[in-house]
Amino acid sequence: MIEASVRELACEARLNLRHLPEYMDSIADRLQSFEADASHHGRRIDFRFAFGDASIDMEQLVMRANAAGRDGLARIKDLLATAVQVYAREENPEIVWTGDLSGETSLAQFREMTVTGVRDLTPHMRRLRFAGEDLSRFAKFGGMHIRMLFPTRDVPDPLWPVLGGNGLPVWPADDRRPVARVYTIRALDVAKGIIDVDFLVHPGDSVGSAWATQAAPGMKVGIMGPVGRPVRQADWYVMGADETGLPALARLLETLPAATRGVAFVEIADDGEKQEIANTTGIEFHWLTRDGLPAGEDKLLAEAVRSVTWPQEGSAFGWFAAEAAAAKIVREHWRGALGLGRDQTLAAAYWRRGAAGLMAG
Ligand SMILES: Cc1cc2nc3c(=O)[nH]c(=O)nc-3n(C[C@H](O)[C@H](O)[C@H](O)COP(=O)(O)OP(=O)(O)OC[C@H]3O[C@@H](n4cnc5c(N)ncnc54)[C@H](O)[C@@H]3O)c2cc1C
């Protein structure tokens, strides 16, 4: 449903790209994965999102966005500009939006948040509560995650990003730039202006985990979002997660319809990491423990998910979030061996052994 507002907001940007038609399949595929309906009209493709409309015209070399509200317009500009920058990277596209809100410099998807609560759920899972203003957009668009912007030892007093003329964030110079990591909104209360994030406290030199370890009420952090694609509705799910995917999996089990069926596996270090999950669905829940093996070295989770037989009838979805190697095993099984499509599966790498800041860029 399009947001209610006084009048429609509209803007456009020229696309001086020599090879636009060559990128269009990838651009359209990406936009459709954010639940846009696409329709072709000669050399123009129109996209209808829940929060507004967009079109890319390969003849006139222009893209257009319109929405009933500021959040919707900012979201569409961001999705279009990101898709063009990703797939037309070789042509180094210069995007300049004109029209409504084109002079805007505040970033619609950014909020400064203040820590208001710290609680250890288990020896290695710390729940932080954050307070901020006007959090309604974090309940929109179907994305469950945020990019969190942290101060670090080298940049203790960062500057936050602003909105550029291309519809994307403009970052300060390196000596004031915060460091980003991706986290899940475990719980959101728009009316009270609070979000909860569960941080896994893991070994090694880090930004997010290190910050969470010494977080205290009053400390500031930036968040941007929501990010991520909506999880498809289905009658039956097979799910798998390690500790980093657990906040998202737990949120799904609390919010999917009660009639939903399936099976979910969560890998944790040991029994001490078990926590209360308010599973209100008919999805069977199983803990798997590594019992001494380092995170990311155990194939138990991937094997458990692979061993599940998918139902013959009704709609089904596979959702997986864990270390990159495990995600690859599951993705190859679902997409390759079982021949399932992107609309039935999401196997995501939430971190990679030995690599810092996966997916945070
Ligand atoms: C969509 C999405 C949602 C996510 N949600 C959450 C969430 O809600 N809670 C959460 O805790 N994490 C979550 N993650 C994972 C988190 O972003 C990564 O674990 C990230 O690397 C943490 O940043 P860091 O600064 O602590 O460590 P980094 O600086 O990125 O990494 C430092 C070192 O620690 C290692 N490392 C990173 N993560 C782990 C780990 N889990 N176990 C062991 N070693 C690790 C790295 O391999 C590297 O060697 C999510 C990731 C994605 C993509």
Side-chain angles (χ1 to χ4, degrees):
M1 201 176 63
I2 296 202
E3 298 163 28
S5 170
V6 187
R7 78 177 179 90
E8 186 94 340
L9 300 169
C11 60
E12 64 176 52
R14 303 228 33 97
L15 289 171
N16 292 320
L17 297 170
R18 269 174 299 146
H19 305 294
L20 180 60
E22 289 173 27
Y23 323 123
M24 258 331 280
D25 281 353
S26 303
I27 291 174
D29 194 39
R30 184 183 168 94
L31 295 176
Q32 281 172 283
S33 76
F34 288 90
E35 297 200 325
D37 286 333
S39 55
H40 294 250
H41 308 270
R43 285 169 56 78
R44 192 188 81 223
I45 307 183
D46 292 348
F47 300 92
R48 173 149 287 223
F49 296 88
F51 39 89
D53 299 330
S55 72
I56 299 183
D57 193 320
M58 288 177 275
E59 198 158 289
Q60 295 179 11
L61 293 177
V62 67
M63 57 184 177
R64 298 192 173 88
N66 59 286
R70 302 168 80 89
D71 272 355
L73 193 72
R75 175 75 170 170
I76 294 176
K77 283 165 73 172
D78 182 273
L79 288 174
L80 290 177
T82 302
V84 169
Q85 291 222 324
V86 168
Y87 295 109
R89 194 172 24 223
E90 281 185 4
E91 292 196 47
N92 197 14
E94 196 198 347
I95 297 166
V96 181
W97 290 100
T98 56
D100 288 323
L101 306 182
S102 53
E104 182 82 53
T105 55
S106 74
L107 203 51
Q109 67 268 43
F110 174 82
R111 298 288 179 280
E112 185 179 73
M113 306 293 289
T114 306
V115 177
T116 58
V118 180
R119 182 158 75 94
D120 287 329
L121 301 178
T122 69
H124 292 102
M125 194 64 96
R126 171 165 278 206
R127 175 163 298 167
L128 298 188
R129 175 157 287 181
F130 299 91
E133 284 173 18
D134 183 19
L135 301 182
S136 58
R137 68 171 284 114
F138 295 91
K140 294 180 195 163
F141 312 127
M144 277 197 283
H145 314 292
I146 43 177
R147 198 164 280 134
M148 301 197 74
L149 309 182
F150 296 104
T152 60
R153 244 192 334 262
D154 295 340
V155 185
D157 190 18
L159 289 174
W160 303 130
V162 294
L163 179 68
N166 60 359
L168 298 173
V170 178
W171 294 88
D174 284 355
D175 60 343
R176 298 300 298 277
R177 187 178 169 130
V179 177
R181 295 288 185 265
V182 184
Y183 283 88
T184 300
I185 300 177
R186 175 67 182 80
L188 167 69
D189 188 328
V190 174
K192 292 191 177 136
I194 51 177
I195 64 167
D196 288 340
V197 178
D198 291 354
F199 289 79
L200 175 71
V201 176
H202 63 80
D205 215 11
S206 66
V207 173
S209 170
W211 185 88
T213 310
Q214 43 83 62
M219 283 168 60
K220 306 275 186 208
V221 75
I223 66 169
M224 286 169 70
V227 295
R229 294 171 172 80
V231 175
R232 295 258 173 177
Q233 291 289 325
D235 304 328
W236 181 95
Y237 289 82
V238 52
M239 297 179 172
D242 64 7
E243 294 96 327
T244 62
L246 173 57
L249 190 147
R251 194 171 155 189
L252 288 171
L253 293 184
E254 287 170 7
T255 49
L256 286 171
T260 313
R261 296 285 174 269
V263 56
F265 300 96
V266 174
E267 179 194 298
I268 47 174
D270 52 47
D271 282 342
E273 291 302 315
K274 288 182 180 170
Q275 54 172 270
E276 247 350 275
I277 307 289
N279 179 6
T280 53
T281 70
I283 296 175
E284 278 172 36
F285 185 90
H286 302 277
W287 295 108
L288 303 173
T289 52
R290 287 190 297 275
D291 293 325
L293 269 178
E297 281 189 17
D298 197 326
K299 296 290 164 273
L300 204 68
L301 175 67
E303 291 309 329
V305 168
R306 259 183 10 156
S307 71
V308 173
T309 308
W310 285 52
Q312 300 291 314
E313 295 187 349
S315 58
F317 194 86
W319 185 93
F320 189 85
E323 201 276 332
K328 186 164 181 258
I329 293 173
V330 170
R331 192 179 312 118
E332 284 175 359
H333 176 67
W334 285 344
R335 301 291 296 274
L338 300 187
L340 298 163
R342 186 159 145 161
D343 56 339
Q344 291 168 289
T345 61
L346 178 67
Y350 271 26
W351 64 285
R352 189 188 299 279
R353 226 152 30 102
L358 187 72
M359 309 293 289

